[in-house]
Amino acid sequence: MKRIQINHGRIIDPANSIDRIGDVYIADGKILSVTSKPDAFEADIQIDASGQVVCPGFIDLSTRLREPGQSRKGTFKSETLAAASAGVTTLCLQPDTVPVIDTPAVAELIKELAEKAGYPQILPIAALTQKLEGTELSSMLSLKQAGCIAVGHANQPVKNLLILRRAMEYAASHDLLLMLRPNDYWLGNNGCAHEGALATRYGLPGIPEAAETIALSQCLELAELTGCRVHFGQLSCKRSVIKIQQAKNDGLRVTADVAMHQLHLTENDMTPFDSAYHVLPPLRTEADKQYLRQGVATGTIDGIASDHQPHDLDAKLGAFPETEPGISALETLLPLLMKLVVEGALTLPEGIAALTSKPAEILGLRRGALTPGLSADVCIFAPGSAWRIDEDNWRSQGTNTPYWGHTLKGRVTHTLQAGLIIHKSA
């Protein structure tokens, strides 16, 4: 294994309260030292990070790679290249693959695909119920033993609260983390936009905030009843942030994240109904966006996820309500973080913490920091480097992003995973 020295970068490591100019030393795939050169250290590779930020590799709490089962939308190869180019070194894979991640055999298949793609740090989330049908529990313990990091239900409904209670009791008894996007499927009523003035004006089927907050409230009650650790993903509205804050104040073991696009876009950005803006949960109001930003800044919302969902062209053709929801989001993760910093919503260390140390803490991983002895997962980026989002720069197979053709600032120059350089800009 090669020895690597990263020179003269601005090292931001929130877990260790480091924000200073210095060098990082790597050997045998692990962080050897930060700022202080070890005795007799001779680097095989030197990386000049002058004018750049050096931080832990990003950990994405919610990703779809579309394999197995939907390789026309994306593959492990294409999407892990996108992740590497975005500074992401660990991916949590939602269970709604084809087949669903509900048996150890499918979890093993995920690991094999990850190894073949040269990106081993993909952590499958196991399905809470068999085939995500919401009726019969999966073999959660076997799935954990097969390498699943948590249990979840992707965007599918759990049809019976008793099923959810039993699942949470089982998860609590084996210290399994439940990762859930709160959503009452029936209140959502196959909607495609926030139930508000814009949806009413244009006749779009709306999704009320209550579809999220009622499901969130029910699960919080069950979390208190069962003692289950719950992570709520992809929150979208002010009232959800308030409920999470109250739950934390009451001592419940809950955490939360928000998709990066929810911190930037609102229902008003949807016109003229470009399907790239069709997401679940839907884009909500300006007040919701501001409250979500505040939630991240105060720590009520622990992490920021990409909620990466690449699609093929057919999925995004047709009338807005008929298209499939989701944004190809890995590669805009850093530029949109830099936009938050420029707009004063977060400091850069706060934003990096939401993508590194806090996700690691949620998942119970010894990653997300530049602590000596930890795996050398490192992201180096030029914060002021502008780049145009187009076919010349894009890695993901899915081009379904509302930022296509935009020029944003913040470009990853190097990504290291366990001490291996998996991305280097040209």
Side-chain angles (χ1 to χ4, degrees), residues 3 33 38 47 49 62 76 118 136 155 160 163 188 199 217 224 229 231 240 284 307 339 344 385 393 413:
R3 294 187 168 202
S33 177
I47 299 174
S62 179
F76 270 52
E136 296 184 46
N155 285 336
N160 184 325
I163 297 291
S217 298
E224 185 168 13
R229 286 191 299 133
H231 176 75
S240 292
R284 299 202 185 271
D307 197 21
K339 195 166 186 286
S385 177
N393 298 309
T413 62

Side-chain angles (χ1 to χ4, degrees), residues 10-23:
R10 178 186 172 188
I11 303 168
I12 300 180
D13 180 12
N16 291 302
S17 301
I18 295 174
D19 185 351
R20 58 173 291 187
I21 304 295
D23 304 340

Side-chain angles (χ1 to χ4, degrees), residues 223-261:
E224 185 168 13
L225 180 66
T226 63
C228 182
R229 286 191 299 133
V230 186
H231 176 75
F232 294 99
Q234 300 88 63
L235 299 185
S236 70
C237 61
K238 171 182 175 180
R239 289 173 54 222
S240 292
V241 181
I242 293 171
K243 287 179 183 296
I244 291 293
Q245 181 63 67
Q246 290 172 339
K248 288 187 171 183
N249 290 342
D250 291 342
L252 297 188
R253 298 197 301 166
V254 297
T255 51
D257 72 55
V258 59
M260 181 64 89
H261 56 258

